[in-house]
Amino acid sequence: MLATVRELAADRYAGRRVGTPGGRAAATWLAGRLGELGAEAELIGFPVSGVRELYGTPELHWRAEGQPRRLEHRRDFVEHLASAELPMARTAPLATIEDADLRGRWVLVAAERLGQACERAVAGQAAGILTARGTDAEGWMPKMIAGPAVQPVPILALRTDLHQHLADVFRDTAVEVSASMPLRVVSADGVNVVGRLPGQARPDGGTGEEPTRVLLTAHFDGVGDDPARRLPAAADNASGVAVVLEVARALVTAGIPEGLDVRVALLDGEEAGARGSAHHAAAVPADTLVINIDGAARLHEAASVEAGGPAHVLLSAVDQAARVTGVPLRAGAMASDNRRYAAAGLAAIGIGMGMPGYQTPAETPERVEADTLLAAARLLTATVLELASLGRTSATRSSRH
């Protein structure tokens, strides 16, 4: 599993953003791994729109009383997903949203007033907007590639403390701001990697009972590298992909239990709005039980589990698997591909075990813990085996009737 994480986080995949050569190369590599297990693997394409793409490193610096202050992208400031494109740096005086004249000026505004500021900036022909955004615990501003509708004005988000510092400086003296935002909206072609594990048989020797269908899913895409920085996407979600491949290997090696139909979907486009799972869900049989894992890098106190759709059997199985394996569980939000399957009416659960360095350059393979990978693999394997047991019990009851 650690080798899988290191592979997917390697330079050649360049952050695995949907629609990029690195993303497609990762899909091809994963299809090969499923093929080695004897799975009937295929690549299924789908369109993705509205992806934010940085094609250069944004700039931001200001000058007050002749003293320049140059800021570092992703440490001190970051692109706002609603920003208009600004390929070349624009230099202009600073203003606040309360100023009467905004023409040709950068407007400093608190995050909670951004909507009003956009309206005023457009009407007043402002140069752009500087708003505020927090950082993670390590001082990074995580990257995202899907968001709200693009506004007709450039928008940059300063680190919260720097935003306040700039406001304090501006109260005492004039400030000149220079900034660029080489951010565009593109469409892309995603590709899911789907495979059926070999060895399934029908219950009761093929007497006509439907098999218990289980789908193991994890997204392999990341947000992609910045033009001047690597974002390896090791925790989110190379770790989850590694777990799914290991569970598949373990099941095939031991032999798929009779009456179990196990399939794997390694999904693209999760970071762009869970587009891969939305596309795939429509083709999944209605009685399929979906287990999605997003993040298996650092188990702190307990694994988070979110259920959607008619997931009572799944919850029972994962609860029993947790008792067997000793992996602690808690109810928690899992905003990932599991929600797309649940929205399609399928029984689905999402499981997460931590993402250190989430969507930043600090999300490296070294931070993915072997013990967490093992815990996740054991939990998922035990859950699948418990579902097989429940399926056999149901088939036995049916045959007696």
Side-chain angles (χ1 to χ4, degrees):
M1 286 186 282
L2 287 171
T4 296
V5 170
R6 286 192 293 267
E7 173 69 25
L8 290 173
D11 293 353
R12 57 184 163 277
Y13 300 118
R16 308 189 306 278
R17 202 210 78 193
V18 62
T20 61
R24 290 189 291 271
T28 300
W29 185 81
L30 290 169
R33 302 295 72 75
L34 286 178
E36 290 172 358
L37 296 174
E40 303 166 6
E42 61 177 323
L43 301 177
I44 302 174
F46 59 93
V48 181
S49 60
V51 179
R52 273 51 165 190
E53 179 180 75
L54 279 173
Y55 56 89
T57 301
E59 298 177 28
L60 176 60
H61 59 271
W62 71 68
R63 182 180 294 272
E65 296 183 334
Q67 298 298 314
R69 174 88 182 254
R70 186 174 296 274
L71 306 185
E72 181 182 353
H73 178 240
R74 211 157 296 290
R75 280 292 196 184
D76 301 326
F77 77 100
V78 74
E79 62 277 4
H80 192 286
L81 294 175
S83 178
E85 184 178 6
L86 182 62
M88 305 298 293
R90 179 179 294 166
T91 302
L94 187 64
T96 69
I97 191 63
E98 287 79 17
D99 291 337
D101 183 13
L102 302 182
R103 182 184 297 271
R105 304 175 77 181
W106 285 99
V107 182
L108 189 68
V109 63
E112 60 269 21
R113 300 185 66 184
L114 181 59
Q116 176 192 6
C118 286
E119 294 179 4
R120 284 217 58 209
V122 172
Q125 299 181 17
I129 293 173
L130 303 179
T131 188
R133 178 177 157 187
T135 68
D136 67 10
E138 298 169 0
W140 290 103
M141 304 179 81
K143 181 178 182 177
M144 293 175 281
I145 60 171
V150 174
Q151 298 294 317
V153 61
I155 308 172
L156 288 77
L158 278 76
R159 203 176 69 210
T160 304
D161 62 312
L162 283 175
H163 188 273
Q164 182 60 53
H165 174 69
L166 181 56
D168 293 342
V169 170
F170 186 53
R171 272 195 291 269
D172 298 327
T173 186
V175 176
E176 183 181 72
V177 173
S178 183
S180 69
M181 184 46 61
L183 179 73
R184 60 192 171 202
V185 180
V186 300
S187 295
D189 293 319
V191 56
N192 290 330
V193 185
V194 179
R196 181 185 184 192
L197 300 187
Q200 296 95 333
R202 299 183 71 83
D204 299 334
T207 58
E209 292 290 339
E210 286 294 318
T212 299
R213 295 183 176 89
V214 178
L215 176 65
L216 303 175
T217 67
H219 77 89
F220 68 86
D221 66 303
V223 292
D225 288 346
D226 282 345
R229 285 192 195 273
R230 290 265 17 247
L231 282 84
D236 181 25
N237 186 33
S239 63
V241 172
V243 168
V244 168
L245 287 177
E246 173 59 16
V247 173
R249 185 203 63 77
L251 291 171
V252 170
T253 300
I256 304 292
E258 185 177 354
L260 204 58
D261 182 343
V262 183
R263 305 191 183 215
V264 170
L266 304 175
L267 302 161
D268 201 358
E270 193 271 351
E271 303 294 357
R275 303 296 183 84
S277 51
H279 183 268
H280 183 238
V284 176
D287 59 351
T288 301
L289 304 170
V290 183
I291 304 171
N292 180 71
I293 183 160
D294 196 350
R298 186 177 62 195
L299 180 60
H300 180 44
E301 295 178 348
S304 295
V305 179
E306 176 182 299
H312 304 294
V313 171
L314 269 173
L315 284 173
S316 176
V318 76
D319 181 66
Q320 181 59 30
R323 296 174 190 273
V324 170
T325 60
V327 177
L329 304 180
R330 66 181 176 192
M334 280 298 300
S336 186
D337 291 303
N338 46 287
R339 293 187 177 180
R340 290 292 197 176
Y341 291 105
L346 298 163
I349 58 172
I351 300 174
M353 296 189 183
M355 300 178 184
Y358 174 69
Q359 293 183 351
T360 74
E363 194 186 335
T364 60
E366 293 74 24
R367 304 188 69 184
V368 176
E369 298 176 352
D371 287 349
T372 299
L373 291 171
L374 286 168
R378 288 169 179 157
L379 179 67
L380 264 64
T381 301
T383 301
V384 172
L385 295 177
E386 179 65 17
L387 289 170
S389 176
L390 292 171
R392 285 194 296 270
T393 301
S394 177
T396 301
R397 289 173 179 167
S398 178
S399 66
R400 287 173 180 171
H401 288 293

